[in-house]
Amino acid sequence: MESSDQLAQPSCLAKLSHGQGAVSPCRRTESRPAMISSRFISIVMPCYQQAAFLEESVRSVLDQQGVDLELLVMDPGSTDGSRKLLQRLKEDYGESLQLSFEPDDGQADAVNRGLSLARGNILGWLNSDDRLRPGALRQIVEYLNISEPRWLYGRCGIIDEHGRQISPCIVWYKNIRGRNFSFNKFLTEDFVPQMATFWNRSMWHAAGPLDKSRHLAMDYDLFLRFAEIADPAVSKEYFADFRVHKTAKSSLRVKEHLDEAFLTVCKHAAALGWRGRLALLLHRIYAVRTRLIYRLMKP
């Protein structure tokens, strides 16, 4: 892993300066502590019917070394054994694992609810079928432990349902696209890996919560709003793995995802004149190519 002073702004890869029993669902109550440390990390995990991958995902967060953190799992009603599994994991991890079993209005709402309960100054979300790489969170603390809005992303592998690394060509391409950042390039294609992206509370407050009307490209919209405030820092290290399996939304709803991403770009490109129109054209071209690749290479 890179040290935090090796995280680089995409416009130049020079060093950055830094600033300083039964489980009760967690609820938004006055007894819920406020942020306890500017270095404390909160990860939110929306969860629904993912028992096959849930334990690995939870442990990938809570077994991170060298950081103070909490994981907030938001399960609105799984019936596949996820809740029983979470209760068992709660016995292992205690207060580091916070559980909410309240209903929600979808994934974006679940993440928003979780982040409203989070105590950390450093934030992120991990879906319950993905996983963090060991040591990932230790690398982000120093850069994000600051009062000004900041965000960063690293690299992400792709794994199958058994946790084996797959699709090296797609990973390589994503790494090439994401090795440096510009807002106009980001409009042409979503190359920022959601599960390997983190931000501080100031950025979250400045950008606002996830758009609950978006069900597939909510992270793209959020990160475009982040980018309108500040460019991210970019790490060449792998922070997470994205899991591809037959029941994943990304595998089942590729066309819908790409269509929603295009509408998202339309919103953010509207005020950019010819540059915005060019970005929309390129986004369409990249989307056609991506759909063909997904058809050939994904479940």
Side-chain angles (χ1 to χ4, degrees), residues 83-266:
R83 291 189 171 190
K84 184 176 181 179
L85 172 58
L86 288 168
Q87 290 172 342
R88 179 170 60 80
L89 291 169
K90 177 76 172 176
E91 296 176 1
D92 290 346
Y93 292 106
E95 291 302 306
S96 295
L97 177 57
Q98 295 291 322
L99 306 178
S100 172
F101 295 152
E102 296 181 356
D104 58 48
D105 294 326
Q107 184 180 10
D109 184 48
V111 175
N112 286 342
R113 287 169 180 257
L115 289 173
S116 74
L117 294 165
R119 296 177 293 167
N121 182 49
I122 299 169
L123 307 170
W125 103 71
L126 183 75
N127 293 323
S128 55
D129 49 356
D130 300 330
R131 69 187 184 192
L132 293 183
R133 294 278 183 100
L137 296 183
R138 187 174 63 247
Q139 309 305 310
I140 70 173
V141 173
E142 292 303 325
Y143 182 72
L144 295 178
N145 179 32
I146 193 170
S147 59
E148 70 184 51
R150 282 188 174 182
W151 66 299
L152 64 85
Y153 66 87
R155 293 181 173 180
C156 183
I158 302 177
I159 57 175
D160 65 13
E161 59 186 2
H162 303 294
R164 298 174 298 206
Q165 297 292 331
I166 59 172
S167 304
C169 292
I170 295 177
V171 173
W172 175 84
Y173 175 77
K174 289 278 192 178
N175 290 343
I176 292 296
R177 287 289 278 167
R179 65 184 173 180
N180 53 62
F181 184 92
S182 77
F183 185 76
N184 286 339
K185 184 171 77 167
F186 194 32
L187 287 171
T188 67
E189 185 175 28
D190 181 6
F191 52 80
V192 172
Q194 170 266 311
M195 61 293 303
T197 302
F198 306 92
W199 55 93
N200 62 15
R201 187 171 291 274
S202 294
M203 178 61 79
W204 179 250
H205 287 161
L210 290 167
D211 182 348
K212 293 194 298 182
S213 70
R214 300 177 191 277
H215 301 289
L216 297 164
M218 73 286 282
D219 55 320
Y220 193 20
D221 175 66
L222 179 68
F223 299 156
L224 281 165
R225 285 188 276 133
F226 284 1
E228 289 169 345
I229 298 167
D231 282 351
V234 180
S235 172
K236 294 181 181 179
E237 295 299 326
Y238 285 85
F239 288 163
D241 289 310
F242 167 67
R243 192 184 302 272
V244 176
H245 56 96
K246 293 182 178 179
T247 61
K249 286 196 299 184
S250 59
S251 297
L252 296 173
R253 303 169 67 182
V254 173
K255 183 180 183 302
E256 292 174 70
H257 193 166
L258 294 173
D259 289 346
E260 188 174 294
F262 180 74
L263 293 176
T264 298
V265 170
C266 288

Side-chain angles (χ1 to χ4, degrees), residues 45-52 54 73-87 100-104 128:
M45 181 177 289
C47 170
Y48 185 69
Q49 306 289 63
Q50 294 285 0
L54 180 58
V73 181
M74 317 300 287
D75 188 326
S78 292
T79 59
D80 65 344
S82 292
R83 291 189 171 190
K84 184 176 181 179
L85 172 58
L86 288 168
Q87 290 172 342
S100 172
F101 295 152
E102 296 181 356
D104 58 48
S128 55

Side-chain angles (χ1 to χ4, degrees), residues 2-8 16 18 138-143:
E2 294 179 345
S3 65
S4 60
D5 64 353
Q6 292 172 299
L7 292 169
L16 290 170
H18 303 305
R138 187 174 63 247
Q139 309 305 310
I140 70 173
V141 173
E142 292 303 325
Y143 182 72

Side-chain angles (χ1 to χ4, degrees), residues 278-293:
L278 177 60
L280 290 174
L281 174 61
L282 292 173
H283 190 98
R284 277 296 199 195
I285 293 170
Y286 283 131
V288 170
R289 180 222 49 205
T290 298
R291 191 176 177 190
L292 290 173
I293 291 173

Side-chain angles (χ1 to χ4, degrees), residues 8-28:
Q9 292 286 6
S11 56
C12 77
L13 299 180
K15 291 183 179 180
L16 290 170
S17 61
H18 303 305
Q20 322 282 316
V23 179
S24 299
C26 62
R27 300 174 185 276
R28 194 180 312 178

Side-chain angles (χ1 to χ4, degrees), residues 48-74:
Y48 185 69
Q49 306 289 63
Q50 294 285 0
F53 312 116
L54 180 58
E55 181 168 3
E56 182 179 14
S57 296
V58 168
R59 291 191 185 279
S60 78
V61 177
L62 293 176
D63 288 345
Q64 294 282 312
Q65 299 294 310
V67 292
D68 294 322
L69 80 164
E70 66 178 356
L71 174 65
L72 301 98
V73 181
M74 317 300 287

